[in-house]
């Protein structure tokens, strides 16, 4: 999940659009408030949803890069994420 947005700094530097997904409203609120050194918000969009459900509903090839830092340990069966 997006969590508190700690990993969004690097994607923000090289991406036109940065989005995140998390189940926790509290985590999403912290992530949405996070800004880079220039004061620009790190995320363009944040979605409150379970990750597996989000990925199943996403259009094929709708994202160029997916960053999953410290999220896979919270998912029971991760194999469907890689299908």
């Amino acid at each position: 999940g997006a969590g508190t947005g700690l990993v969004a700094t690097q994607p923000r530097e090289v991406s036109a659009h940065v989005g995140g997904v998390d189940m926790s409203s509290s985590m999403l609120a912290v992530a949405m408030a996070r800004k880079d050194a220039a004061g620009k918000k790190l995320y363009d969009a944040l979605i409150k949803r379970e990750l597996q459900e989000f990925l199943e509903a996403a259009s094929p090839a709708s994202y160029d890069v997916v960053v999953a830092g410290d999220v896979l340990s919270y998912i029971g069966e991760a194999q469907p994420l890689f299908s």
Side-chain angles (χ1 to χ4, degrees), residues 24-40:
S24 168
S25 296
S26 299
M27 292 288 202
L28 291 173
V30 174
M32 186 51 85
R34 200 173 284 279
K35 297 179 181 176
D36 66 11
K40 183 177 181 179

Side-chain angles (χ1 to χ4, degrees), residues 35-54:
K35 297 179 181 176
D36 66 11
K40 183 177 181 179
K41 287 188 173 189
L42 294 181
Y43 287 97
D44 298 299
L46 287 166
I47 298 166
K48 183 179 186 288
R49 194 159 186 195
E50 193 275 327
L51 183 59
Q52 183 68 35
E53 292 173 3
F54 174 79

Side-chain angles (χ1 to χ4, degrees), residues 54-66 83:
F54 174 79
L55 291 172
E56 288 172 357
S59 301
S62 56
Y63 294 91
D64 294 325
V65 177
V66 174
S83 311

